[in-house]
């Protein structure tokens, strides 16, 4: 699944267009490599979202099969890592 689609479908970001824009500006990395919006996400990948004042780190646990998932099930697809 594409990184922009993954971030929006598991409710990390609200819209896919926001995820695409963040990728194009070099804010999102997968395994410490800057990700383009079309970059494929795999189970076990580490995703960094760099905001102005902080960074959020997520580990991919599963890939969703549907376009959107309920927020109550989002913890099955990723885990936030605190450093």
């Amino acid at each position: 699944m594409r990184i922009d689609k993954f971030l929006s479908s598991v409710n990390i970001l609200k819209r896919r267009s926001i995820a695409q824009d963040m990728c194009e500006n070099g804010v999102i990395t997968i395994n410490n490599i800057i990700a383009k919006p079309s970059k494929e996400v795999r189970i076990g990948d580490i995703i960094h979202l760099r905001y102005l004042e902080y960074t959020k780190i997520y580990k991919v646990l599963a890939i969703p099969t549907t376009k959107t998932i309920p927020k109550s099930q989002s913890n099955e697809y990723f885990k936030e890592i605190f450093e």
Side-chain angles (χ1 to χ4, degrees):
M1 178 178 270
R2 294 168 52 114
I3 182 67
D4 57 349
K5 201 170 184 180
F6 176 80
L7 292 172
S8 64
S9 66
V10 298
N11 303 308
I12 293 175
L13 297 173
K14 290 198 180 277
R15 280 175 261 146
R16 185 173 172 187
S17 60
I18 294 171
Q20 288 174 332
D21 192 40
M22 289 177 77
C23 286
E24 289 167 1
N25 289 311
V27 176
I28 298 174
T29 60
I30 300 175
N31 300 327
N32 294 322
I33 299 171
I34 295 175
K36 293 182 179 178
S38 60
K39 174 76 172 140
E40 291 291 317
V41 177
R42 292 176 174 52
I43 296 172
D45 283 349
I46 304 296
I47 300 170
H48 291 254
L49 274 70
R50 289 181 172 79
Y51 296 99
L52 292 175
E53 299 174 358
Y54 58 92
T55 300
K56 291 218 174 206
I57 305 169
Y58 301 99
K59 182 173 183 177
V60 178
L61 301 177
I63 305 296
T65 55
T66 58
K67 185 177 179 181
T68 58
I69 59 165
K71 284 192 176 195
S72 61
Q73 294 180 357
S74 63
N75 60 353
E76 298 173 12
Y77 297 95
F78 68 89
K79 181 172 105 176
E80 189 169 354
I81 301 171
F82 299 100
E83 287 186 3

